[in-house]
Amino acid sequence: MTDELTLSRVILDVHPHRGASREYITHQLVADLLGDRDDRGYLYRVMRESRGGTEAQVLVLSRGRPDPAPPPRPWGRVRSVEWKPFAPVIRPEAVLDYEIRINATTVVTKPSGAKCRTDVWDAVFAANRDDPRSPHEVYTAYLERKLEGIADILDGRITARGQVRIRRPGDQRPITLVAANLIGTLRVRDPGALIDAVAAGIGRSKAFGCGLLCLSDRKSTR
């Protein structure tokens, strides 16, 4: 396996099994594509799911090529894999559309002095319910900070937001996180650094379909 960046389009069959959630099963099936490794080495985004969630089309960015046919699991299988090298040509000052499912958090100090991580909008709302900023502005500002010196965020808006509950077999408590889908446009300042940022992922959690910044040529209308 080489360390070249690879972009794959994967079709998964996902079946509930022993209390595991669809999000957890999807994560495990994607992990099977890359095999055992010391680092995570991949990001993914669920692009489309069938009604009932039994089929998922997933975009995977990885270091190294995926296994085209990992063994099936009791809870699902990889139906197909199409991959190509990820080597985009991006010009400085190019204006691109972006979309990302992001787990954006900040550290909050409680009255007791304890520190905890919380969703950026939850933190703003808890601190001041009369804060004039909208969720669109708060999440866009978060992405702007993450891409400071790399790209200028021209606009952004939230198209979906909610708590994600990931259940693993045998767990008493699910893993929970807040994920928001943010779309907008950006202007590139440093193409090489932008590609590095895409490869590294953005946000606190880069698992369960979060963190992959998808870029495309700007459309005339949305």
Side-chain angles (χ1 to χ4, degrees):
M1 178 182 291
T2 67
D3 284 334
E4 68 178 1
L5 286 171
T6 301
L7 189 66
S8 305
R9 189 179 300 275
V10 183
I11 305 296
L12 305 175
D13 287 333
V14 180
H15 305 290
H17 184 73
R18 295 183 180 177
S21 67
R22 184 180 70 255
E23 292 82 4
Y24 175 75
I25 292 173
T26 300
H27 175 81
Q28 291 301 108
L29 290 172
V30 171
D32 286 348
L33 293 167
L34 281 306
D36 294 331
R37 52 193 304 164
D38 294 334
D39 63 325
R40 182 174 299 281
Y42 63 88
L43 300 161
Y44 72 91
R45 176 184 174 87
V46 177
M47 304 300 291
R48 187 169 62 245
E49 291 180 316
S50 64
R51 184 173 296 179
T54 57
E55 179 185 293
Q57 180 177 300
V58 183
L59 196 65
V60 183
L61 181 65
S62 61
R63 291 197 177 276
R65 299 175 185 177
D67 184 341
R73 300 279 197 168
W75 26 261
R77 69 185 180 98
V78 175
R79 188 192 302 172
S80 66
V81 180
E82 299 175 354
W83 66 269
K84 62 181 180 180
F86 181 72
V89 177
I90 301 176
R91 305 183 313 277
E93 301 302 316
V95 176
L96 304 175
D97 284 336
Y98 69 82
E99 183 165 2
I100 185 170
R101 186 174 188 251
I102 193 169
N103 173 229
T105 65
T106 188
V107 176
V108 173
T109 302
K110 295 183 176 181
S112 65
K115 296 182 182 295
C116 66
R117 285 195 172 271
T118 188
D119 171 76
V120 289
W121 172 246
D122 286 345
V124 167
F125 190 73
N128 179 8
R129 295 193 176 192
D130 295 323
D131 193 301
R133 291 173 294 173
S134 69
H136 308 288
E137 293 171 301
V138 170
Y139 280 97
T140 300
Y142 177 90
L143 182 60
E144 194 166 31
R145 291 193 297 272
K146 292 297 182 181
L147 295 179
E148 185 176 2
I150 298 173
D152 298 323
I153 304 301
L154 303 181
D155 62 70
R157 64 185 176 91
I158 299 295
T159 60
R161 178 184 180 274
Q163 188 179 77
V164 182
R165 299 168 68 86
I166 301 100
R167 288 192 175 275
R168 299 179 294 187
D171 276 1
Q172 296 298 315
R173 292 184 178 180
I175 300 169
T176 61
L177 58 92
V178 175
N181 198 72
L182 179 65
I183 67 172
T185 57
L186 58 77
R187 179 180 290 110
V188 180
R189 295 178 63 182
D190 186 332
L194 180 58
I195 293 172
D196 289 343
V198 171
I202 295 172
R204 174 67 175 173
S205 173
K206 301 177 182 68
F208 306 114
C210 295
L212 179 56
L213 180 65
C214 298
L215 302 171
S216 61
D217 290 333
R218 189 181 183 189
K219 301 177 178 62
S220 56
T221 59
R222 286 197 174 277

